[in-house]
Amino acid sequence: MSLIELMVVFLGVGLLTIGGGLVSIPLLLNIFVEGGVLTSTFFYQLVSIAESTPGPIAINLATYLGYIQANVFGALLATASFILPSYLLVELMYPFYIKFRHLHVIDVTMKVLKLTVLSLIGITLVRMVEHLIEVTFIEGTTPWIGLGILALI
């Protein structure tokens, strides 16, 4: 993956993930595992490491994935690209939210966003449990990855 592709991927994921770091995992899984860049076992190992190290899981995961793709510069680029859209959206949208937060449509939109976030976290949970079952029982490998995934739950 080139540096431009890495930047575009993390700008997109950073723009689309509203609601916390766990929401980014299904998107990154689709891009890196289903795109053939990483194996699912390696990806879930990275998720376990990102969860166990200090800091937000999504930023840690972006840093690790960037490092794997392009060393230190890739780590910095992926992390900055992941953070930038959220920062800009908050800076741009906050004045409008303060002005219009009393409107019913804003309240409904926030409730829909909360349900969407819960759904994406649920998808992540199901995929991680599926992988845990596959790694532990079907492939017969050491369940350390599975235990790390269970720690996330």
Side-chain angles (χ1 to χ4, degrees):
M1 182 176 284
S2 72
L3 289 173
I4 298 294
E5 290 173 321
L6 189 68
M7 184 179 72
V8 169
V9 162
F10 282 101
L11 282 170
V13 171
L15 182 65
L16 297 174
T17 53
I18 298 171
L22 291 176
V23 177
S24 67
I25 294 174
L27 294 172
L28 293 171
L29 178 76
N30 285 338
I31 293 165
F32 284 95
V33 174
E34 294 176 14
V37 178
L38 301 173
T39 66
S40 61
T41 300
F42 188 66
F43 180 81
Y44 285 119
Q45 287 173 341
L46 287 177
V47 170
S48 297
I49 293 168
E51 179 62 24
S52 64
T53 52
I57 185 172
I59 294 172
N60 291 343
L61 191 56
T63 304
Y64 298 146
L65 288 168
Y67 183 81
I68 289 166
Q69 296 301 308
N71 295 321
V72 174
F73 187 72
L76 293 171
L77 181 67
T79 303
S81 298
F82 183 79
I83 294 169
L84 184 63
S86 298
Y87 174 77
L88 292 176
L89 278 174
V90 168
E91 286 294 322
L92 294 173
M93 298 302 292
Y94 184 73
F96 295 105
Y97 176 73
I98 293 300
K99 186 174 181 178
F100 299 112
R101 68 180 169 199
H102 65 280
L103 296 177
H104 178 70
V105 69
I106 300 297
D107 186 48
V108 169
T109 301
M110 296 307 284
K111 288 179 181 175
V112 168
L113 282 174
K114 287 178 187 177
L115 288 173
T116 304
V117 167
L118 285 173
S119 299
L120 288 170
I121 291 172
I123 289 168
T124 301
L125 176 66
V126 167
R127 285 186 169 179
M128 290 178 141
V129 169
E130 285 175 345
H131 185 73
L132 169 65
I133 291 168
E134 179 184 324
V135 167
T136 305
F137 298 110
I138 297 172
E139 293 178 9
T141 59
T142 309
W144 293 115
I145 298 166
L147 295 174
I149 292 170
L150 282 177
L152 290 174
I153 300 169

